[in-house]
Structures are given as structure tokens and as C-alpha cells.
């Protein structure tokens, strides 16, 4: 209990530290509420929250309800990332002539694909170092990225797919309304793909082979798709930012409060969907549970969207920027990809004793190791980019 309270207080302090409030009057708003520095810091808060979410997912932490508030919050933190990405892409497209020149190379290959494969190499070394064994074909799939040697590495894959579809749909600059519609349909299609795909190869019966296990291949988990709708709502917010801002400035509080209430209601619908249907129903009753997954997914979409919109509307009046959020904002992908290595590597701490002291030591060790590994990873990525540039 003490560990949870301390972490909650520290996380709240991270949001308050460097915070600025514009004032209560409807004439007092921040014009720079969506500046690069502010949104980077928002991503930094989300990045740190994801680290805590992964720690809270530990079985021992779940049994003792340690860091309970972070256990299911990952979907919200990742939604912030996708919302900011969709928002940023639209704003850049609107403000930068020739934005799509070299888009695939700069925004997909350099920022997502190359880091993904550098992380694959690091995890291969890590698993060999701790004695993890893979079958020959499993090694091939892991090293090529067909399967995930790092189960957290789904994010750059999904982001690359969304970025590529964005480029294909918006590059010509014609029929933008149709492009938005097609983008929304594509994101929904990804969700439906998971609903049929499920967490494993359910149609093969007994799951005894490595390739039939959970989290092995692309779109074999709801986390691949349930945050993607936030990417689309971020695009919409970017497209109509001026209209949205102008509308909220007239009677801000009378519009913000209903928005927050609606978000809380959506959270309740999401919880009800998880209870009534659930993403994992194939493990509780016969069949692949496709309908259960689809209904749960549809219940969760409004929650992720409204949460992000609420955060951005609050930022009209309040935002925080501090050295810690800036650091994690600039290291978000690096710490995210290295976090699983820290989670696994530090788990030896919990093998000794199951006391709160050891859970606290584990939490601190995971955060510290994630930061150090993230810095190493960033250095290796920069070296790879520099070498590529020289050639």
C-alpha cells in the first residue's frame, strides 16, 4: 500500500511540476497549448506511465493490487501517443510544403523501422545471454520481425502501418474528406482483423507449438488495435483545431464539464464491455470468441477517443513542462522498446522475497534500468543513422 501511495503521489507531482494555469475566465487560454514542447512533455508523462503500467502487470503486483491504478491504464497512455501522432501529422501536412517528399524514409524507416531492428538485435543478444532457447525457425521469425522477440515491439509496427496508410491516402492532396473516411475504415479493419486473429492460433486446437502461443505474431492481441482510433481522432482534432478551440472558448467550463462526464461514462461502458464480453473469452469458453472481442473493441473505442480529447481540451487552460517530462518525451520510443528487457532482467529481485520492500526495489530497478538501456539504445540508433548518412 505504501509503495502504491508513494508512486501515485510522485506521478501526480510529475503532472503538477512546471504546471501553468491560464485562469478561470473564458478570455484566458494558452495559445501554445499544443506546441512541440508541451506535447513532448505530455508524451513524456505517458511514457513514464507506460513503464509503471508494465510494472503493475507483474503477476505478484496484480495479486497484491500494487500500483492498481496503472494496471489497466496502458491503453490510455498509448492512446495519447497515437493521438499526438495523428494530430502532428495533420499539422505538419498543413504547414510544411512538400511534407511528403521523403516521408517514408524520414518518418517510417528512420524513426520506426531502423530502431525496431536494432531492438531486435539487442533482444537477441539479451535472450542468448540469459540462456533463453528458441527453435531454428523461431529464430528466423524473431530476427526478421515476423514474430516479436520483444513483445512490446508491436507499437512501432502498428505506427509504421498507420503512417504508411496516411501517406498513401493524403500524399496527392485531393479528395481529403474521402481520405479521412478511408483512414477511419482502415483503422476499424485492423480492429476486426484482431477480432478474427485472436491471441493465438485458436483454430489449431491444442497450443503446443511455439508459433501457437500468445503474443507471437502481428495483431495477436487487443493492444495492437484498441488505441489506433485515437490516431484518427487526433487527425480530426488537428484538421479542425481552430474550430474546436473557438467553440470551447465560448462557455469553456459549461462545455468541459459535460465532456469530462461523458468520458467517465465511456469509461463505465468500457468496463461493462470488458466484464460482459472480454477480449480473452476464448480461454473461458469454447470457440474463438470473435463476437466477444468485436463488442469489447466497440465499447472501448469511445473511451480512448474521449479521454484524449478531454486531455487536449484541458490543455487549453493547463499544461505542465518540466525536465523529467521533457526527458521522457525525447526518449519515449527508446524507453518503451527497452522496458521489456528491464522488466525481465530485474525480475530476479522478486524471486528472493515477496515483501513490499522488494516490490519497491523492483520498481526502482526497472525504472532505472529502462532509462539506462534507453540511453544505450538511443546511442546505438544515432550511430546507425550517422553511419548510414556517411555512406
Amino acid at each position: 500500500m505504501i509503495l502504491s501511495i508513494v508512486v501515485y503521489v510522485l506521478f501526480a507531482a510529475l503532472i503538477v511540476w512546471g504546471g501553468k494555469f491560464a485562469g478561470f475566465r473564458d478570455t484566458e487560454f494558452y495559445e501554445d497549448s499544443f506546441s512541440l514542447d508541451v506535447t513532448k512533455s505530455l508524451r513524456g508523462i505517458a511514457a513514464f506511465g507506460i513503464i509503471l503500467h508494465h510494472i503493475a502487470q507483474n503477476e505478484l503486483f496484480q495479486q497484491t493490487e500494487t500500483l492498481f491504478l496503472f494496471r489497466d491504464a496502458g491503453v490510455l497512455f498509448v492512446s495519447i501517443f497515437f493521438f499526438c501522432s495523428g494530430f502532428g501529422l495533420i499539422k505538419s501536412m498543413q504547414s510544411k510544403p512538400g511534407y511528403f517528399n521523403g516521408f517514408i524514409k524520414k518518418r517510417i524507416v528512420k524513426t520506426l523501422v531502423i530502431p525496431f531492428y536494432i531492438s531486435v538485435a539487442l533482444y537477441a543478444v539479451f535472450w542468448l545471454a540469459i540462456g533463453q532457447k528458441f527453435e531454428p525457425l523461431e529464430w528466423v521469425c524473431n530476427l526478421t520481425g515476423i514474430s516479436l522477440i520483444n513483445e512490446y515491439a508491436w507499437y512501432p509496427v502498428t505506427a509504421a502501418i498507420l503512417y504508411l496508410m496516411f501517406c498513401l491516402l493524403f500524399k496527392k492532396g485531393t479528395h481529403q474528406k474521402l481520405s479521412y473516411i478511408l483512414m477511419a475504415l482502415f483503422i476499424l479493419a485492423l480492429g476486426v482483423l484482431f477480432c478474427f486473429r485472436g491471441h493465438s492460433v485458436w483454430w489449431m486446437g491444442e497450443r503446443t507449438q511455439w508459433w501457437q502461443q500468445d503474443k507471437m505474431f502481428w495483431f495477436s492481441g487487443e493492444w495492437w488495435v484498441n488505441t489506433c482510433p485515437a490516431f484518427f481522432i487526433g487527425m480530426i482534432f488537428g484538421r479542425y483545431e481552430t474550430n474546436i478551440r473557438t467553440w470551447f472558448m465560448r462557455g469553456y467550463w459549461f462545455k468541459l464539464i459535460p465532456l469530462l462526464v461523458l468520458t467517465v461514462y465511456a469509461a463505465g461502458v468500457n468496463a461493462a464491455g470488458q466484464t460482459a464480453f472480454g477480449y480473452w473469452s476464448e480461454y473461458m469458453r469454447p470457440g474463438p470468441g470473435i463476437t466477444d472481442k468485436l463488442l469489447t473493441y466497440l465499447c472501448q473505442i469511445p473511451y480512448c477517443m474521449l479521454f484524449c480529447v478531454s486531455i487536449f481540451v484541458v490543455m487549453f487552460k493547463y499544461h505542465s513542462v518540466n525536465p523529467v517530462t521533457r526527458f521522457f518525451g525525447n526518449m519515449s520510443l527508446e524507453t518503451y522498446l527497452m522496458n521489456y528487457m528491464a522488466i525481465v532482467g530485474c525480475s530476479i529481485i522478486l524471486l528472493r522475497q515477496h515483501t513490499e520492500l522488494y516490490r519497491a526495489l523492483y520498481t526502482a530497478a526497472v525504472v532505472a534500468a529502462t532509462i539506462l538501456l534507453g540511453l544505450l539504445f538511443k546511442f546505438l540508433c544515432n550511430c546507425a543513422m550517422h553511419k548510414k548518412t556517411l555512406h
Side-chain angles (χ1 to χ4, degrees):
M1 176 63 74
I2 296 176
L3 172 60
S4 297
I5 293 173
V6 170
V7 172
Y8 296 156
V9 170
L10 289 175
F11 191 78
L14 191 65
I15 298 174
V16 174
W17 182 18
K20 295 181 179 179
F21 179 59
F24 287 100
R25 291 182 297 182
D26 280 353
T27 56
E28 298 173 319
F29 295 93
Y30 284 115
E31 293 298 326
D32 67 338
S33 55
F34 304 146
S35 67
L36 182 60
D37 194 32
V38 172
T39 54
K40 277 268 188 182
S41 289
L42 175 63
R43 290 165 68 96
I45 294 171
F48 189 65
I50 289 170
I51 294 173
L52 295 175
H53 163 68
H54 289 153
I55 293 172
Q57 290 282 305
N58 180 279
E59 185 176 351
L60 179 59
F61 278 63
Q62 293 194 53
Q63 290 172 358
T64 57
E65 295 193 346
T66 305
L67 303 184
F68 174 78
L69 294 180
F70 289 98
R71 189 185 68 185
D72 299 318
V75 64
L76 300 179
F77 294 128
V78 178
S79 291
I80 289 175
F81 274 100
F82 276 127
F83 185 96
C84 289
S85 294
F87 178 85
L89 288 176
I90 292 299
K91 302 306 288 186
S92 296
M93 181 183 71
Q94 291 175 339
S95 61
K96 298 178 182 178
Y99 177 63
F100 287 104
N101 296 333
F103 179 90
I104 293 177
K105 180 180 179 180
K106 291 183 292 186
R107 299 304 304 269
I108 299 178
V109 176
K110 284 188 175 182
T111 61
L112 294 169
V113 176
I114 292 178
F116 173 81
Y117 281 106
I118 291 175
S119 75
V120 166
L122 288 176
Y123 274 88
V125 173
F126 172 71
W127 292 124
L128 285 171
I130 66 173
Q132 178 70 36
K133 297 186 182 300
F134 296 113
E135 295 183 17
L137 182 58
E138 190 175 3
W139 269 116
V140 172
C141 291
N142 283 338
L143 294 177
T144 56
I146 296 174
S147 59
L148 296 183
I149 197 170
N150 167 17
E151 65 180 56
Y152 295 170
W154 65 269
Y155 175 80
V157 176
T158 302
I161 292 172
L162 292 177
Y163 278 34
L164 179 60
M165 183 54 62
F166 169 79
C167 180
L168 294 175
L169 291 176
F170 288 87
K171 186 174 183 179
K172 291 184 178 181
T174 57
H175 307 296
Q176 281 209 2
K177 289 185 178 180
L178 177 60
S179 296
Y180 280 101
I181 294 172
L182 292 176
M183 192 74 202
L185 292 176
F186 177 75
I187 289 173
L188 287 174
L190 293 180
V192 174
L193 171 63
F194 154 69
C195 293
F196 281 88
R197 171 75 180 85
H199 296 93
S200 58
V201 191
W202 51 265
W203 57 84
M204 295 299 294
E206 291 290 331
R207 291 183 285 270
T208 57
Q209 302 297 323
W210 68 266
W211 46 271
Q212 293 175 304
Q213 304 308 308
D214 297 334
K215 307 175 185 177
M216 290 303 302
F217 297 105
W218 292 15
F219 297 98
S220 59
E222 66 275 9
W223 48 89
W224 284 79
V225 298
N226 58 2
T227 54
C228 293
F231 181 88
F232 176 74
I233 204 68
M235 292 172 58
I236 297 296
F237 206 97
R239 172 67 178 82
Y240 297 103
E241 180 197 353
T242 302
N243 305 69
I244 294 171
R245 182 183 287 272
T246 302
W247 186 78
F248 270 101
M249 283 181 176
R250 295 191 291 268
Y252 177 81
W253 297 105
F254 292 102
K255 294 172 181 177
L256 174 64
I257 292 173
L259 173 63
L260 296 178
V261 170
L262 188 60
T263 303
V264 172
Y265 178 76
V269 172
N270 170 62
Q274 299 276 354
T275 302
F277 312 111
Y279 286 119
W280 295 80
S281 61
E282 71 262 40
Y283 289 87
M284 295 179 284
R285 48 183 174 266
I290 295 172
T291 302
D292 291 332
K293 292 178 180 61
L294 182 59
L295 292 172
T296 307
Y297 174 63
L298 294 176
C299 287
Q300 197 165 51
I301 288 176
Y303 180 39
C304 295
M305 286 183 167
L306 285 169
F307 175 79
C308 292
V309 171
S310 295
I311 292 294
F312 266 59
V313 172
V314 167
M315 286 168 60
F316 289 163
K317 286 283 190 182
Y318 176 86
H319 61 255
S320 64
V321 177
N322 60 66
V324 176
T325 57
R326 278 198 186 102
F327 172 81
F328 279 102
N330 290 320
M331 291 277 294
S332 56
L333 182 63
E334 292 84 354
T335 53
Y336 179 83
L337 287 176
M338 292 295 102
N339 188 218
Y340 187 53
M341 191 180 295
I343 291 281
V344 175
C346 295
S347 61
I348 190 173
I349 296 173
L350 297 176
L351 296 178
R352 296 180 177 273
Q353 293 189 37
H354 294 174
T355 63
E356 186 166 50
L357 174 60
Y358 276 80
R359 292 197 295 275
L361 290 173
Y362 171 75
T363 301
V366 168
V367 173
T370 299
I371 292 172
L372 292 174
L373 289 168
L375 289 170
L376 172 63
F377 180 67
K378 190 178 186 72
F379 171 76
L380 293 175
C381 288
N382 288 337
C383 288
M385 300 295 183
H386 182 64
K387 184 177 180 180
K388 187 177 179 63
T389 302
L390 290 177
H391 286 299

